[in-house]
Structures are given as C-alpha cells and as structure tokens.
Amino acid sequence: MYRPRWATEDALKIGKQCLGWEDGQVLTLAAVRTLVALGWVAAGFLYELGVTLEWAEVRRLTRLGGARCGRTGPRASWC
C-alpha cells in the first residue's frame, strides 16, 4: 500500500525541485481573480469549439487534473 504512494511522492519531489512547480503559487487575491477569469475564458473557448466530456482526450485531461470517478454520482457517466 505504501509503495505506490512512495513512487508518487518521489515524482512530486522531482517535479518540485527540478521543474519548479511550486514557483507558480498564487499569493494574492488579485492573482486568484485573474486565474479564475482566465479559466472562464478557456472554458468559454472550449465551449464554442463544441468540446464535451464525451471526448476521450477531455476525459483523460480531467483525470490528470484530479477529477475522481466513482461508481455512483453525477460524474459516473463520463468516467
């Protein structure tokens, strides 16, 4: 049980140290508002393109982004 977590922790440590993942922290309310606004712009653009959760690529990105799939609930149909 701990072994898979250990590998994940090592990967995150490498990402933080070598790739500078923690350098992009949002520290101010203005930065959070800007980030949310850009997210809405991106979502609107994808909506205009007709992108839906039925696309395998979009499902893959949602899983990589941290979406959790369960056997029940509103998201069960697209996982």
Side-chain angles (χ1 to χ4, degrees):
M1 177 108 159
Y2 185 73
R3 227 176 251 201
R5 181 176 173 174
W6 190 350
T8 302
E9 294 293 332
D10 283 343
L12 290 174
K13 181 179 177 183
I14 290 169
K16 289 176 183 179
Q17 289 178 346
C18 299
L19 302 175
W21 284 349
E22 287 189 336
D23 295 341
Q25 292 180 353
V26 178
L27 301 176
T28 64
L29 181 58
V32 172
R33 288 181 176 160
T34 302
L35 185 62
V36 170
L38 290 173
W40 278 108
V41 169
F45 179 73
L46 293 174
Y47 176 78
E48 286 296 317
L49 289 177
V51 174
T52 65
L53 289 173
E54 281 79 31
W55 292 21
E57 297 85 359
V58 175
R59 288 193 305 272
R60 188 174 307 117
L61 285 173
T62 57
R63 284 193 304 274
L64 289 172
R68 295 185 180 169
C69 303
R71 295 184 183 189
T72 62
R75 291 182 279 182
S77 61
W78 59 267
C79 294

